[in-house]
Amino acid sequence: MKELDLTKGSVPKVLLQFALPFLLANLLQALYGGADLFVVGQYDDAASVAGVAIGSQVMQTITGIILGLTTGTTILIAIATGGRNDREAASTIGTSVCFFAATGVILAAIMVALHSRIAELMHTPAEAMADTRHYILICSAGIPFIMGYNVVCGVLRGLGDSRSPLYFVGIACAINIAFDFLLVGAFGMRAAGAAIATVFSQGVSFITALVFLHKRGFHFEFSRRDIRLDRRLSGRIVKLGAPIALQDALVNVSFLLITVIVNQMGVVASASLGVVEKIVGFAMLPPTAMASAVATMTALNYGAGETGRMMRCLKAGIAMALVFGVAVCAYSQVAPETLTAIFTTDSAVISMGADYLRGYSLDCILVCFVFCINSHFSGQGNSWFPMLHSMAATFVVRIPLSYLFSRIDPSSLHLMGFAPPISTLFSLLICALYLRHNNRKLRGKTNLAS
């Protein structure tokens, strides 16, 4: 297992080395998620596209919660590794195995039981109801695989290895795309076929990651005795991970509520929203990957007491993320139809989606700042502030504006596209004020230590 020392060397160079596998892994993960919508869009009608779009939005919310919770594990391991506390790292890994195994089974059971009700709560158009139910039901059964994969990758990244998870996602991506064409294209299984392909690929990826971790081991002693539930560590994992999970959940809940608003505008609007969310999901990959790298690198340097290096990491992360964010936004202003046409051949969906994307793409620039600043705080063990300002932006700004804009122009998604960047700007202003306060505290601690 190749582990990168994030506490030494040039900050931009080391950050980029660690973030690049993150980015490629996220890209592949989005590809095998977007493959469902792409393949269904090539072979089926707007109802099937809407079913996959709505169902995948629900599952993205669940995945965001899982990723947030497992980030608690990554941060704790990174802090322990930075402080050279191998026993703490081993105990954190063992506790995570027990905690997330139980959580995955419980969450899967709840989602399977409620899948039909969830589809109804989404105000799914009648034409897309069957496809949506099938997609949510089948993907919910695969939640333990999603949980297991994220735990293994969280452990590896906490130890400084961001490269190995890339290989696991690559395997999943190849399998999912192949099975999408087989089950949807050849066998005509519509949304259900796409869901089966997704679950099967996730299962193979998790098993591969588990076997790899078992064979390679760690640079410190780890045995079966370490696999037990430590109440102190499980509490710390929840304390760190729950706010991050809630933050991700709130963002995705806002997507779900906006989906509910748009679903009442008809199946074309619903499909258009789903297509643009997939495009923006790809566009958000670079800032998300950079932010994830910032969180881990900050945690390792925080554990090592390198506070000055933490700020250099934040600035480098924002600068590199902006390169992608500005490029995506600029292209979306000039030729958005070329992007929406990737996922569908329906001309009405292409046109309506392009109108939505023009405004939404402005968010690709603003999130570069907010994502990295949030990770800067989370890496220091402060995951509550990112959650609180995200909650405010979601419920005070984004959802009310989306509803208001939909009432002003119910025939188009153009105005609604400006709600996300306005809400992110609101978050950014709060982040800037809190960052100044946090920097003064860090400087005070550094002065006391010296």
Side-chain angles (χ1 to χ4, degrees), residues 26-27 30 34 37 57 60 251-252 255 272-288 324-325 328-329 332-333 336 339-340 342-343 353-365 367 371 398 416-418 420-421 424:
N26 287 350
L27 176 61
L37 194 64
Q57 192 66 65
Q60 185 175 324
V251 171
N252 283 291
F255 290 158
S272 300
L273 178 73
V275 166
V276 173
E277 291 294 356
K278 284 296 181 187
I279 294 169
V280 173
F282 278 103
M284 296 295 183
L285 291 178
T288 299
F324 295 94
V328 170
C329 181
S332 297
Q333 302 306 312
L339 297 176
T340 55
I342 294 173
F343 291 99
D355 284 341
Y356 187 49
L357 183 59
R358 281 193 175 91
Y360 202 157
S361 62
L362 296 172
D363 205 33
C364 295
I365 295 176
V367 297
F371 284 5
R398 182 167 188 172
M416 284 186 65
F418 292 98
T424 304

Side-chain angles (χ1 to χ4, degrees), residues 156-227:
L156 291 170
R157 286 164 176 159
L159 294 171
D161 178 15
S162 61
R163 186 174 298 176
S164 298
L166 171 62
Y167 305 137
F168 310 143
V169 179
I171 293 171
C173 182
I175 293 173
N176 187 69
I177 292 174
F179 272 72
D180 268 337
F181 279 105
L182 177 66
L183 299 180
V184 178
F187 294 163
M189 294 178 67
R190 297 174 65 87
I196 292 171
T198 296
V199 170
F200 181 72
S201 64
Q202 289 168 342
V204 173
S205 180
F206 167 57
I207 293 171
T208 304
L210 201 60
V211 171
F212 170 84
L213 197 60
H214 176 71
K215 288 187 174 181
R216 295 295 296 270
F218 307 102
H219 65 260
F220 48 80
E221 184 182 349
F222 181 83
S223 65
R224 291 182 180 179
R225 293 190 301 273
D226 292 307
I227 304 177

Side-chain angles (χ1 to χ4, degrees), residues 225-297:
R225 293 190 301 273
D226 292 307
I227 304 177
R228 59 185 179 85
L229 192 64
D230 184 303
R231 292 182 63 182
R232 178 184 65 86
L233 288 174
S234 60
R236 290 189 67 192
I237 289 171
V238 172
K239 185 178 179 180
L240 279 172
I244 300 172
L246 185 55
Q247 174 191 337
D248 290 337
L250 287 172
V251 171
N252 283 291
V253 163
S254 72
F255 290 158
L256 294 178
L257 291 176
I258 291 167
T259 301
V260 170
I261 294 170
V262 173
N263 283 349
Q264 298 175 64
M265 297 169 65
V267 71
V268 172
S270 178
S272 300
L273 178 73
V275 166
V276 173
E277 291 294 356
K278 284 296 181 187
I279 294 169
V280 173
F282 278 103
M284 296 295 183
L285 291 178
T288 299
M290 197 59 64
S292 297
V294 167
T296 306
M297 190 168 178

Side-chain angles (χ1 to χ4, degrees), residues 1-77:
M1 185 192 311
K2 186 174 181 181
E3 298 169 5
L4 188 64
D5 189 346
L6 304 180
T7 62
K8 298 177 181 178
S10 167
V11 170
K13 181 180 179 180
V14 172
L15 181 63
L16 185 60
Q17 280 183 281
F18 189 69
L20 190 57
F22 252 121
L23 173 59
L24 295 176
N26 287 350
L27 176 61
L28 289 174
Q29 197 159 10
L31 277 174
Y32 84 71
D36 291 348
L37 194 64
F38 173 79
V39 176
V40 169
Q42 304 308 306
Y43 291 99
D44 295 326
D45 53 21
S48 186
V49 172
V52 172
I54 296 167
S56 61
Q57 192 66 65
V58 172
M59 294 312 301
Q60 185 175 324
T61 302
I62 299 300
T63 302
I65 293 172
I66 292 170
L67 184 58
L69 286 171
T70 55
T71 299
T73 293
T74 301
I75 292 172
L76 283 182
I77 292 174

Side-chain angles (χ1 to χ4, degrees), residues 277-362:
E277 291 294 356
K278 284 296 181 187
I279 294 169
V280 173
F282 278 103
M284 296 295 183
L285 291 178
T288 299
M290 197 59 64
S292 297
V294 167
T296 306
M297 190 168 178
T298 298
L300 280 159
N301 284 282
Y302 185 72
E306 297 286 346
T307 55
R309 190 175 174 85
M310 288 160 45
M311 279 305 300
R312 294 198 298 275
C313 173
L314 172 61
K315 293 175 182 177
I318 292 173
M320 286 186 273
L322 277 172
V323 173
F324 295 94
V326 172
V328 170
C329 181
Y331 187 88
S332 297
Q333 302 306 312
V334 177
E337 294 86 357
T338 61
L339 297 176
T340 55
I342 294 173
F343 291 99
T344 181
T345 56
D346 190 311
S347 59
V349 174
I350 292 171
S351 177
M352 185 175 283
D355 284 341
Y356 187 49
L357 183 59
R358 281 193 175 91
Y360 202 157
S361 62
L362 296 172

